[in-house]
Amino acid sequence: MSARPSQPWWHHAVIYQVYPRSFASTSGAVGTLEGVRQKLNYLQQLGVDAIWLSPFYPSPQRDAGYDVSDYCQVDPTFGTLAHFDALVESAHARDIRIVIDLVPNHTSDQHRAFQAALAAGPGSAQRDWYWFVDSEQPPNNWKSIFGGSAWTQVCQREDAAGSPWEDDQQWYLNLFDSSQPDLNWDNPQVREYFDQVLRFWLDRGVDGFRIDVAHGLVKDRSLPNWEGEVSMVDGGEDDADTTRAPMFDQEGVHEIYRRWNAILASYPGERMLVAEAWVDPQTRLARYVRNDEMHQAFNFAFLCCPWQAQELEQTITDSLHAFRQVGRPATWVLSNHDVVRHASRLGLEETGKGPNGIRAREPQPDAALGLARARAATALMLSLPGSAYLYQGEELGLPEHTTLEDKWRQDPAFFRTKGAEAGRDGCRIPLPWAHDAAGCGFSPTGETWLPQPPGWAELAADLQSADTGSTLNFYRRALALRRDWELGQGEWSFQPCEGGVLRGINRCEGGEVLVITTVSAPSVVPSDWVVKLCSDPTLHLRAGDEIPVNTTVWCQRGN
Ligand code: NOJ
């Protein structure tokens, strides 16, 4: 594989998130693993080093697969274990690694361990796998991240009537949906169970795991009330913060990752763990990737950073510093299946983390502005040392679906907030592959599990592939240069420059690469520099030309 012997592949990899439901289908409305396999040439041509697959396990799909009922199988909707094995084999044949999603904070309520816990009743060893508590009221005031209480009383479950537990007064913890009970990681059996899950997939050849809610596994056992906000983002201010949420970022989580690190290290090759940990500040996040723990952590501070030059510079500087302190590479990400796509987010008045979904009656993003900034942000991100994550469809410049009718919504956050939040369906629309096919070629039947918005066909991969000025070809060029110049392994330093502009040098295999991002003011291509990449593929800039606002250029020395 292409990594330098001195640095493992994940130090500088570009990792592409496939959300299997919405990537490509070989059957009907929902995507399949075989659909992913059939698009590997596309991903290879794009130039990615690895794929991160969101969950494809058996699941009632109450949270789009993040409610797992069997950790060692493939949901028949997505295919079979044989399809999975074929995908790994075909990806590896193209030097593309496979990272899969592990969801250890909670199971589905249909998982056999939870069903056994319900059946065994209060006080049983089976109930100790989860957080069952005797209490007349909800045991504390914790809120579910999707809205409502984080506690469900067994007798109030939808399926309780007529069941053996219809009089069962115990409450169980669910930081997400009531169908996603939180596991009790203080129970050694839970730890042993997940050791086996890791080994099951490592034996099948996976190159790593993305760890869902990595900061949430261990809770403060005294279950104290928490008045602070409970969201994906922890409210901690600094390392000494004593008001840390009792359900997140507890010291005990690190022991689990040391244990997993040892399991991965016992396998040949360079296997990795990446943390989905919404932890603040960066120094706190960096603790998840200490030498004997995980290998990467998503940089949500970068994703949430407003389109503002000083804040971007500060966030990038802090990220590089925090991860360097623990000897791990920084990571970069702008979009995923949980946030408004950055081509739309950056076209909103507020360009920070953004709302949880957008509806037709809410302020609409400026599409052209959003796309220009999105490409500029992506070019900035891909010029930075470390590893970068792409979310499927961003290479097509896909916007959020902001006019999806509520009747289509599936995100539990929409239902649990009683519609106050639109939720995440708008960033999960099935991809457009072919402009002239039903469902834009997503499936052989033309079906798509969510409707595609107007204008999707013009963004289809087949059209963009043939258009040198397309977003897709801009991504391909950026990834090819990043690989040739080894930007991911370079040394970054910011240069002083005018307000509203970012200017940095990446010292790498490609020599000195000058990166200029015109965040809120234009700039000029300096003399003695040649523009090798411009985030606006229709511009052909030379030394002395103005770089319009919301653009990023990569330059090398020369005339
Ligand atoms: C984070 C995942 O990215 C999100 O999609 C999911 O809903 C929650 N964790 C709960 O598993």
Side-chain angles (χ1 to χ4, degrees):
M1 304 221 176
S2 60
R4 284 176 171 184
S6 56
Q7 276 189 349
W9 65 275
W10 43 265
H11 260 249
H12 45 81
V14 174
I15 304 178
Y16 182 97
Q17 180 187 0
V18 166
Y19 192 69
R21 293 182 72 78
S22 305
F23 185 69
S25 178
T26 45
S27 58
V30 176
T32 57
L33 292 183
E34 179 58 13
V36 182
R37 202 183 69 82
Q38 291 184 9
K39 297 293 183 196
L40 285 173
N41 284 347
Y42 170 86
L43 294 177
Q44 188 174 29
Q45 218 188 342
L46 179 59
V48 306
D49 301 298
I51 296 170
W52 148 34
L53 282 172
S54 279
F56 48 79
Y57 314 107
S59 161
Q61 303 288 330
R62 295 282 294 266
D63 184 21
Y66 283 92
D67 48 329
V68 179
S69 56
D70 182 349
Y71 288 83
C72 298
Q73 255 303 343
V74 173
D75 193 295
T77 313
F78 298 122
T80 61
L81 277 172
H83 287 124
F84 179 82
D85 292 341
L87 171 59
V88 172
E89 195 186 326
S90 302
H92 284 172
R94 290 170 171 80
D95 282 355
I96 296 177
R97 315 262 179 166
I98 298 282
V99 173
I100 63 171
D101 219 308
L102 187 71
V103 188
N105 179 68
H106 45 265
T107 66
S108 158
D109 61 354
Q110 301 307 309
H111 191 280
R112 65 185 151 74
F114 190 74
Q115 288 295 316
L118 284 181
S124 61
Q126 288 88 334
R127 288 222 168 169
D128 192 45
W129 273 56
Y130 296 88
W131 289 88
F132 280 93
V133 178
D134 284 314
S135 177
E136 285 184 8
Q137 301 293 322
N140 64 24
N141 69 352
W142 294 4
K143 297 269 176 293
S144 154
I145 285 158
F146 291 157
S149 170
W151 296 96
T152 303
Q153 197 167 26
V154 176
C155 59
Q156 286 177 12
R157 283 175 52 82
E158 283 166 16
D159 54 357
S163 76
W165 57 86
E166 69 182 338
D167 295 323
D168 192 329
Q169 305 289 311
Q170 281 204 316
W171 299 80
Y172 64 87
L173 177 66
N174 53 270
L175 285 182
F176 293 89
D177 189 52
S178 56
S179 65
Q180 295 167 294
D182 279 56
L183 283 161
N184 170 18
W185 276 86
D186 296 333
N187 183 335
Q189 288 180 349
V190 171
R191 296 185 183 220
E192 281 154 26
Y193 172 67
F194 274 92
D195 289 354
Q196 287 167 26
V197 173
L198 287 172
R199 290 185 191 285
F200 177 86
W201 294 106
L202 289 165
D203 288 340
R204 296 195 104 85
V206 304
D207 299 285
F209 300 89
R210 175 264 190 193
I211 308 301
D212 190 61
V213 201
H215 56 318
L217 274 50
V218 173
K219 278 83 182 174
D220 179 338
R221 282 212 76 80
S222 66
L223 302 177
N225 277 338
W226 170 247
E227 304 301 337
E229 196 195 341
V230 179
S231 68
M232 298 277 232
V233 189
D234 176 35
E237 290 291 301
D238 56 45
D239 289 10
D241 180 22
T242 50
T243 58
R244 194 156 293 285
M247 68 295 275
F248 288 138
D249 198 24
Q250 301 293 301
E251 198 52 37
V253 293
H254 296 287
E255 196 184 309
I256 299 169
Y257 302 131
R258 285 194 278 273
R259 178 179 176 127
W260 291 1
N261 179 303
I263 293 177
L264 266 66
S266 72
Y267 278 79
E270 297 162 340
R271 321 274 179 130
M272 59 83 93
L273 297 165
V274 51
E276 189 233 10
W278 292 82
V279 170
D280 233 10
Q282 298 270 19
T283 45
R284 207 60 218 175
L285 180 63
R287 301 172 81 245
Y288 287 74
V289 294
R290 287 174 292 191
N291 192 30
D292 56 352
E293 297 194 29
M294 301 218 218
H295 305 81
Q296 292 186 344
F298 290 117
N299 187 345
F300 293 125
F302 182 68
L303 182 151
C304 295
C305 188
W307 189 243
Q308 208 275 338
Q310 270 177 338
E311 290 199 45
L312 280 164
E313 179 167 343
Q314 194 62 53
T315 304
I316 293 168
T317 305
D318 290 350
S319 309
L320 291 170
H321 178 73
F323 290 102
R324 193 178 305 122
Q325 295 292 90
V326 289
R328 292 293 206 213
T331 66
W332 312 101
V333 60
L334 288 163
S335 278
N336 64 32
H337 65 293
D338 289 331
V339 297
V340 170
R341 283 183 174 276
H342 70 290
S344 296
R345 199 173 69 234
L346 295 176
L348 290 171
E349 192 123 346
E350 292 282 332
T351 51
K353 179 164 179 269
N356 187 11
I358 300 174
R359 271 184 281 189
R361 63 168 186 261
E362 290 160 358
Q364 295 294 297
D366 177 330
L369 178 66
L371 182 59
R373 284 178 176 168
R375 284 198 297 227
T378 297
L380 171 64
M381 166 172 99
L382 292 174
S383 74
L384 295 169
S387 177
Y389 280 81
L390 306 179
Y391 176 49
Q392 65 178 35
E394 67 168 84
E395 76 279 12
L396 303 174
L398 295 187
E400 185 83 0
H401 190 335
T402 58
T403 54
L404 186 69
E405 287 176 73
D406 285 349
K407 67 175 186 196
W408 293 105
R409 296 197 185 279
Q410 303 209 7
D411 185 351
F414 172 73
F415 298 102
R416 291 183 64 99
T417 60
K418 302 193 170 46
E421 292 181 8
R424 301 161 293 175
D425 297 300
C427 65
R428 300 174 174 180
I429 305 298
L431 294 193
W433 293 101
H435 70 287
D436 56 358
C440 297
F442 171 73
S443 63
T445 58
E447 293 166 290
T448 59
W449 68 282
L450 288 173
Q452 296 162 323
W456 222 231
E458 289 103 83
L459 297 169
D462 62 344
L463 286 184
Q464 294 207 37
S465 195
D467 171 3
T468 52
S470 69
T471 303
L472 177 58
N473 278 313
F474 152 69
Y475 267 75
R476 286 175 174 164
R477 222 164 20 246
L479 291 184
L481 281 177
R482 180 184 154 94
R483 181 175 289 195
D484 284 356
W485 294 346
E486 299 185 3
L487 285 169
Q489 297 159 79
E491 277 296 318
W492 179 267
S493 58
F494 278 108
Q495 311 274 298
C497 68
E498 62 270 41
V501 177
L502 291 178
R503 201 176 152 138
I505 299 267
N506 187 329
R507 291 185 178 77
C508 57
E509 198 57 29
E512 286 192 336
V513 175
L514 172 67
V515 178
I516 301 175
T517 301
T518 52
V519 182
S520 56
S523 188
V524 172
V525 181
S527 51
D528 304 333
W529 290 91
V530 180
V531 175
K532 296 288 183 160
L533 179 90
C534 179
S535 62
D536 179 346
T538 63
L539 289 179
H540 301 284
L541 300 176
R542 297 164 171 274
D545 287 349
E546 182 178 284
I547 312 168
V549 73
N550 297 316
T551 307
T552 292
V553 293
W554 294 0
C555 312
Q556 274 185 320
R557 282 194 194 278
N559 292 302

